């Protein structure tokens, strides 16, 4: 795991300037790879690669990057891990390739020399962002793993090509020409993240998952893909698995065992995040089965029981016999992270679980250098509540006249969320649904909508029907989540949601959150449930075994039940949340007031002052419907203050600036 960067000055550049610029772009990523760094230069081509290394496999100098192939044709800089590198190495050795070291990086670059770039990439099982220079053809290649675990940003300004693991790397180049993408800001306010392939800047892009870009010395970039999720889905629909349920459980366990075992290979201490839910418990159970010693597992505990999963994680850890650590975290500890977020996420990002994710990463890094996580299980195995609402709420009510549904919606919304929450206190804790008032009002919104696809767009939005109106001179960018005619490919509404989530929410929110939160403290996080072989298999499942299963994550739970008793994991889904509304009205209010002040909004000259001030006032007087939108605005304001062109003229904003720097 590392940070990578690069420059191609296609109009020419002195070697001295090239080295200075490449070194600056590399150094700013040192938090991602504090163990080693390197810069490679080609004076003839005016191209430079940089890499900051987090040494995980082959800790010797033989793993140093950037790395040149033995024949001198290819140079790569690589971020990530390839889990099938040993098989590929054996195949290359049979072709006559002789290796100098034991790193997966060397396997990749020698694969390029033997098989070509695109053919090699298609063989890789892993998480990666790779840049490769072909000296013979004078071509630059950029590529990214299939599910989008590792980030890669790129841009072309006239004759200048820039790329890097984070935007801050591109920004330090003197040829950087920043211009805010106001349509992307509107999309950010809707989703809480900037959807790919767009970024917060015009003309700067995220390489999509499985993306493949070729840039030659003349002409524009050729953008494509080496793997296509839509194709995987289509093929899966045509080739549904025919085994009975017991056979499917056996197949799933074998695939999970392979995915987990591959991700346990490391030359440094390794552990896992454990929440006690189905996904992380399954990963840890299979890790423990594959290990000869107790696996190290980690969780954090909160003072507020509504957000605390520690006792569930501890029960699973005791049953499996792991070497478990629970880190107690106070509200003050969590609040201390907030001023660091704009630096950590150098593009606006507003998933509140970024806070506990960073905390657990920082504490875990004190004990290990690599951690496995259970991310991806909800998208794969239909775990999100929105999928259940589509099955259990929308379908039974879809035949009800819209007018009647809207009447029911109005009746539910007439009861304040706080009243639902008070009633829920009389329900036994193990059956209690967290934040039931908020969910009841969300249900009411769903009932009032005309179609199931409109329901999906409502759920993934931040409770504002028109975010364009909150951004001056903006027209929201449209991405895959607005995809049309998906009902032909995916007649099942739940499958459509899962597909869109895999294309958008998973790479742009979940995996972005995990990457930045963990790499800020140089912790490598591996995600076994996103092994592409497993993803391809899951899309072949009959609907009754996944999207229409009798319970969420049915097959995954069958696998887990072979290792952990049901009663240890059966409970309402909690998520990884924080008491955001309470914080914004309490200990974070002064911080938020600074960012929401009229002076700060006017100085930024991006957001509609009257609209934002109105939202803030309504929130302070008790509106709990749109506090996620409030958080999105605050995260943009904090980011703009740190990375944009906002003025810091007023006293309140100066105070915040001092916190952020």
């Amino acid at each position: 795991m590392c940070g990578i960067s690069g420059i191609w000055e296609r109009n020419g550049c002195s070697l001295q300037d090239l080295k200075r610029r490449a070194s600056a772009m590399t150094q700013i990523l040192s938090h991602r790879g504090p163990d080693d760094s390197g810069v490679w230069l080609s004076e003839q081509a005016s191209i430079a690669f940089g890499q900051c290394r987090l040494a995980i496999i082959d800790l010797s100098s033989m793993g140093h990057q950037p790395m040149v192939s033995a024949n001198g044709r290819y140079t790569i800089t690589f971020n990530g891990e390839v889990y099938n590198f040993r098989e590929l190495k054996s195949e290359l050795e049979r072709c006559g390739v002789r290796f100098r070291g034991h790193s997966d990086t060397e396997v990749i670059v020698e694969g390029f020399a033997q098989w070509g770039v695109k053919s090699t990439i298609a063989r890789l099982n892993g998480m990666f962002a790779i840049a490769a220079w072909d000296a013979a053809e004078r071509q630059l290649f950029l590529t990214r793993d299939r599910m989008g675990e590792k980030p890669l940003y790129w841009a072309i300004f006239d004759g200048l090509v820039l790329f890097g693991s984070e935007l801050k790397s591109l920004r330090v180049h003197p040829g950087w020409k920043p211009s805010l993408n106001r349509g992307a800001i509107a999309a950010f306010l809707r989703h809480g993240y900037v959807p790919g392939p767009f970024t917060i800047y015009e003309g700067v892009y995220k390489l999509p998952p499985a993306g493949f870009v070729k840039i030659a010395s003349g002409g524009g970039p050729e953008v494509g893909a080496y793997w296509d999720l839509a194709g995987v889905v289509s093929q899966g629909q045509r080739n549904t698995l025919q085994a009975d349920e017991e056979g499917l459980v056996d197949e799933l366990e074998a695939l999970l065992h392979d995915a987990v075992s591959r991700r346990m290979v490391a030359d440094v201490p390794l552990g896992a995040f454990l929440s006690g839910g189905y996904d992380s418990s399954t990963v840890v159970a299979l890790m423990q089965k594959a290990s000869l010693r107790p696996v190290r597992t980690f969780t954090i505990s909160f003072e507020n029981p509504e957000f605390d999963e520690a006792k569930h994680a501890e029960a699973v850890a005791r049953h499996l016999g792991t070497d478990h650590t629970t880190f107690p975290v106070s509200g003050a500890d969590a609040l201390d992270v907030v001023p660091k977020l704009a630096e950590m996420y150098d593009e606006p990002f507003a998933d509140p679980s970024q806070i506990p994710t960073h905390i657990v990463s920082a504490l875990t890094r004190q004990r290990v250098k690599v951690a496995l996580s259970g991310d991806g299980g909800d998208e794969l195995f239909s775990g999100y509540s929105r999928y259940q609402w589509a099955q259990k709420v929308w379908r039974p009510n879809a035949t009800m006249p819209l007018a009647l549904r809207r009447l029911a919606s109005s009746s539910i919304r007439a009861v304040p969320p706080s009243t639902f929450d008070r009633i829920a206190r009389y329900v036994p804790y193990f059956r209690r649904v967290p934040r039931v008032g908020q969910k009841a009002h969300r249900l009411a919104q769903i009932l009032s909508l005309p179609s199931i696809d409109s329901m999906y767009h409502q759920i993934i939005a931040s409770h504002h029907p028109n975010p364009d109106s909150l951004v001056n001179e903006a027209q929201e960018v449209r991405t895959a989540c607005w995809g049309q005619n998906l009902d032909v490919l995916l007649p099942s509404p739940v499958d459509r949601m899962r597909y869109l989530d895999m294309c958008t929410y998973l790479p742009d929110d979940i995996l972005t959150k995990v990457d930045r939160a963990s790499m800020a403290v140089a912790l490598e996080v591996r995600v076994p449930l996103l092994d592409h072989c497993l993803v391809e298999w899951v899309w072949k499942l009959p609907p009754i075994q996944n999207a229409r299963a009798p319970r969420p994550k049915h097959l995954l739970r069958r696998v887990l039940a072979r290792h952990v008793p049901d009663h240890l994991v059966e409970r309402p889904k909690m998520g990884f949340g924080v008491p955001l509304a309470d914080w914004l009205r309490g200990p974070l209010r002064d911080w938020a007031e600074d960012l929401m002040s009229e002076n700060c909004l006017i100085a930024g000259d991006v957001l509609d002052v009257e609209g934002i001030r109105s939202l803030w006032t309504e929130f302070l007087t008790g509106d709990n419907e749109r506090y996620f939108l409030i958080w999105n605005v605050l995260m943009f304001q904090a980011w703009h203050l740190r990375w944009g062109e906002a003025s810091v003229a007023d006293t309140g904003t100066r105070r915040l600036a001092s916190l952020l720097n």
Side-chain angles (χ1 to χ4, degrees), residues 135-416:
E137 299 293 334
R138 293 178 64 85
Q139 293 176 339
L140 173 66
F141 298 93
L142 304 175
T143 192
R144 191 179 177 199
D145 64 73
R146 293 169 179 83
M147 301 307 295
E149 293 180 58
K150 292 292 100 187
L152 190 58
Y153 294 89
W154 66 287
I156 299 178
F157 300 118
D158 299 324
L160 173 66
V161 180
L162 300 174
F163 68 84
S165 297
E166 297 179 18
L167 280 172
K168 58 173 64 76
S169 179
L170 280 65
R171 284 191 190 101
V172 301
H173 191 283
W176 169 257
K177 299 177 180 179
S179 175
L180 290 180
N181 184 338
R182 291 175 183 257
I185 296 170
F188 165 75
L189 293 182
R190 180 185 297 277
H191 300 293
Y193 57 84
V194 177
F198 303 99
T199 71
I200 199 67
Y201 295 111
E202 293 279 4
V204 183
Y205 301 97
K206 301 180 182 78
L207 192 62
F212 189 88
V213 176
K214 180 172 73 172
I215 306 172
S217 55
E222 296 179 23
V223 182
Y226 62 90
W227 185 85
D228 177 33
L229 181 59
V232 168
V233 171
S234 179
Q235 185 177 17
Q237 301 284 304
R238 294 193 306 268
N239 299 282
T240 304
L241 297 168
Q242 300 301 314
D244 61 16
E245 181 168 300
E246 202 62 34
L248 292 174
V249 174
D250 290 340
E251 288 184 38
L252 176 56
E253 181 165 14
L255 284 165
L256 288 167
H257 175 77
D258 180 70
V260 168
S261 299
R262 287 181 182 279
R263 285 157 181 79
M264 293 177 66
V265 175
D267 296 332
V268 295
L270 174 144
F273 298 146
L274 178 61
S275 70
Y278 304 118
D279 305 334
S280 65
S281 297
T282 302
V283 169
V284 170
L286 294 174
M287 288 179 72
Q288 192 58 70
K289 181 180 178 181
S291 178
L292 299 177
R293 61 184 65 138
V295 171
R296 295 181 181 182
T297 54
F298 305 92
T299 192
I300 55 178
S301 64
F302 290 107
E303 299 159 335
N304 187 335
E306 185 178 355
F307 301 95
D308 185 27
E309 297 181 302
K311 65 180 181 180
H312 306 293
E314 290 164 357
V316 172
R318 281 194 299 271
H319 176 80
L320 293 174
T322 71
D323 178 5
H324 188 69
T325 302
T326 298
F327 299 106
V329 176
S330 69
D333 294 330
L335 292 170
D336 285 345
V337 176
V338 173
K340 305 172 186 176
L341 293 174
E343 181 71 32
M344 196 183 309
Y345 295 84
D346 59 354
E347 183 172 53
F349 187 81
D351 183 335
S353 63
Q354 63 198 130
I355 298 171
T357 302
H358 175 65
I359 292 172
V360 73
S361 296
L363 294 171
T364 298
R365 183 63 174 88
Q366 297 174 6
R367 309 292 178 87
V368 299
K369 206 170 183 178
V370 177
L372 274 63
S373 86
D375 291 298
D378 287 312
E379 291 84 359
L380 276 184
F381 298 103
S382 307
Y384 287 128
S385 57
R386 52 181 168 266
Y387 307 151
Q388 310 317 309
W389 288 344
Q391 286 288 92
K392 298 178 181 178
V393 177
W394 183 267
R395 290 184 69 193
N397 292 285
T399 57
M400 185 188 301
L402 181 59
L404 193 57
R405 283 192 276 117
R406 286 179 171 168
L407 179 61
S409 172
S410 299
S411 300
I412 295 172
R413 294 184 62 138
V415 180

Side-chain angles (χ1 to χ4, degrees), residues 482-527:
W482 297 94
Q484 302 296 315
N485 302 321
L486 280 178
D487 53 339
V488 176
L489 174 65
L490 294 165
S492 163
V494 174
D495 283 343
R496 286 203 297 276
M497 294 180 189
R498 291 174 52 229
Y499 171 77
L500 289 173
D501 282 341
M502 283 190 186
C503 292
T504 58
Y505 181 68
L506 180 63
D508 293 334
D509 186 307
I510 300 298
L511 297 177
T512 296
K513 172 188 66 180
V514 171
D515 177 80
R516 302 303 192 282
S518 60
M519 292 309 294
V521 293
L523 175 73
E524 175 169 304
V525 176
R526 300 175 176 177
V527 190

Side-chain angles (χ1 to χ4, degrees), residues 405-640:
R405 283 192 276 117
R406 286 179 171 168
L407 179 61
S409 172
S410 299
S411 300
I412 295 172
R413 294 184 62 138
V415 180
S418 57
T419 301
F420 284 108
D421 292 337
R422 283 195 296 271
I423 295 171
R425 292 172 189 159
Y426 295 98
V427 178
Y429 179 76
F430 67 93
R431 294 186 180 277
R432 192 181 306 165
V433 177
R435 302 178 291 284
V436 66
Q438 174 191 338
K439 292 177 180 178
H441 274 236
R442 181 167 285 193
L443 169 62
Q445 289 179 323
I446 289 170
L447 289 174
S448 68
L449 297 172
S451 70
I452 197 164
D453 291 317
S454 61
M455 181 201 82
Y456 175 75
H457 288 114
Q458 175 67 35
I459 289 172
I460 64 173
S462 55
H463 302 290
H464 195 284
N466 183 22
D468 286 4
S469 66
L470 298 177
V471 183
N472 298 329
E473 302 175 2
Q475 182 175 355
E476 183 181 356
V477 296
R478 289 291 190 260
T479 59
C481 68
W482 297 94
Q484 302 296 315
N485 302 321
L486 280 178
D487 53 339
V488 176
L489 174 65
L490 294 165
S492 163
V494 174
D495 283 343
R496 286 203 297 276
M497 294 180 189
R498 291 174 52 229
Y499 171 77
L500 289 173
D501 282 341
M502 283 190 186
C503 292
T504 58
Y505 181 68
L506 180 63
D508 293 334
D509 186 307
I510 300 298
L511 297 177
T512 296
K513 172 188 66 180
V514 171
D515 177 80
R516 302 303 192 282
S518 60
M519 292 309 294
V521 293
L523 175 73
E524 175 169 304
V525 176
R526 300 175 176 177
V527 190
L529 298 184
L530 294 183
D531 187 294
H532 76 274
C533 297
L534 177 60
V535 172
E536 291 169 357
W537 183 87
V538 166
W539 278 108
K540 295 178 182 178
L541 286 172
I544 193 63
Q545 298 293 355
N546 198 341
R548 297 179 189 169
R551 58 180 182 169
K553 302 183 180 179
H554 178 65
L555 289 182
L556 188 71
R557 289 159 79 164
R558 286 285 316 275
V559 172
L560 180 58
R562 295 178 172 182
H563 306 274
V564 177
D566 285 343
H567 73 272
L568 292 183
V569 290
E570 292 282 357
R571 68 182 194 277
K573 186 177 178 64
M574 293 181 69
F576 205 15
V578 293
L580 192 57
D582 294 340
W583 283 357
L584 292 176
R585 291 194 183 100
L588 286 180
R589 180 164 177 172
D590 288 345
W591 170 81
E593 287 278 12
D594 286 341
L595 289 174
M596 291 288 201
S597 70
E598 187 172 350
N599 285 346
C600 190
L601 290 165
I602 291 173
D605 193 29
V606 175
L607 303 181
D608 176 69
V609 177
E610 184 177 345
I612 298 299
R613 290 295 301 167
S614 176
L615 285 171
W616 179 238
T617 301
E618 290 170 8
F619 169 74
L620 292 178
T621 54
D623 178 10
N624 275 331
E625 288 291 310
R626 292 183 287 191
Y627 68 87
F628 281 113
L629 176 57
I630 296 292
W631 183 249
N632 294 355
V633 172
L634 289 167
M635 287 292 95
F636 173 77
Q637 285 289 90
W639 173 86
H640 198 209

